Amino acid sequence: MPYDNDNIFAKILRGELPAFTVYENDHCLAFLDVMPQSDGHTLVLPKQSAQNLFDLDDESAKHLIITVRKVAGAVRDAFSPDGIRLMQLNGEAAGQTVMHLHMHIVPCYANSTPRSHAQQMAESDILEKHAAKIRAAIH
Ligand code: AMP
């Protein structure tokens, strides 16, 4: 299946749809997942129009992992989780629902299990507060 320029993340990357952005550079955009598995659940996308990991060129792959590490560090500083789960799904059979490559950063806690994937929409004012916390922790 070719890359669909009208997928929801392509529209966010073009600024046609809003997002709770936490970080942006020349190669990547990071924003909150609107159906978070835990507070601070963040997505990092390459700007390259890649549907999955196998479409990504080496330069974009390098920038993606560097950006994921930077943003995950800010999520860790902002929410102090016991651990951080990185997740990246390739193809519908793997559970991918938005066909633009993205890495999930999910804060995890020793005494609770993250909520289910893409199930419950969070409230906008709470998402905005969480995004601000992460933005403040980026360095
Ligand atoms: P995946 O199943 O790995 O493709 O994950 C897609 C993720 O995008 C899910 O966790 C959804 O909750 C999330 N999502 C869907 N639409 C939006 C949106 N407009 N803004 C932010 N996150 C979204």
Side-chain angles (χ1 to χ4, degrees):
M1 218 184 4
Y3 181 83
D4 173 10
N5 275 312
D6 284 330
N7 77 72
I8 199 158
F9 290 173
K11 290 183 177 176
I12 289 174
L13 282 165
R14 290 196 298 269
E16 295 167 11
L17 286 176
F20 296 91
T21 299
V22 301
Y23 179 72
E24 181 168 14
N25 60 30
D26 288 347
H27 305 276
C28 297
L29 179 68
F31 51 82
L32 290 189
D33 195 304
V34 292
M35 291 174 263
Q37 292 175 37
S38 65
D39 291 354
H41 179 173
T42 300
L43 304 173
V44 183
L45 283 61
K47 291 187 176 177
Q48 185 193 341
S49 300
Q51 206 170 131
N52 58 47
L53 188 62
F54 308 103
D55 297 337
L56 200 62
D57 63 37
D58 287 356
E59 192 61 13
S60 293
K62 183 182 88 178
H63 287 291
L64 178 62
I65 195 65
I66 291 169
T67 306
V68 165
R69 186 172 59 185
K70 184 183 186 83
V71 174
V75 170
R76 185 185 56 180
D77 290 350
F79 288 90
S80 303
D82 298 313
I84 294 213
R85 179 179 295 168
L86 298 182
M87 182 176 82
Q88 189 271 311
L89 308 175
N90 295 281
E92 263 181 61
Q96 184 177 4
T97 56
V98 180
M99 295 300 159
H100 181 110
L101 170 62
H102 50 279
M103 184 77 82
H104 296 257
I105 298 171
V106 184
C108 296
Y109 298 89
N111 54 4
S112 67
T113 318
R115 296 185 282 272
S116 301
H117 178 60
Q119 288 298 307
Q120 205 183 335
M121 193 73 99
E123 288 180 18
S124 295
D125 54 336
I126 295 187
L127 288 170
E128 188 40 54
K129 276 189 196 128
H130 291 168
K133 260 175 99 158
I134 298 169
R135 282 195 297 269
I138 297 253
H139 42 75

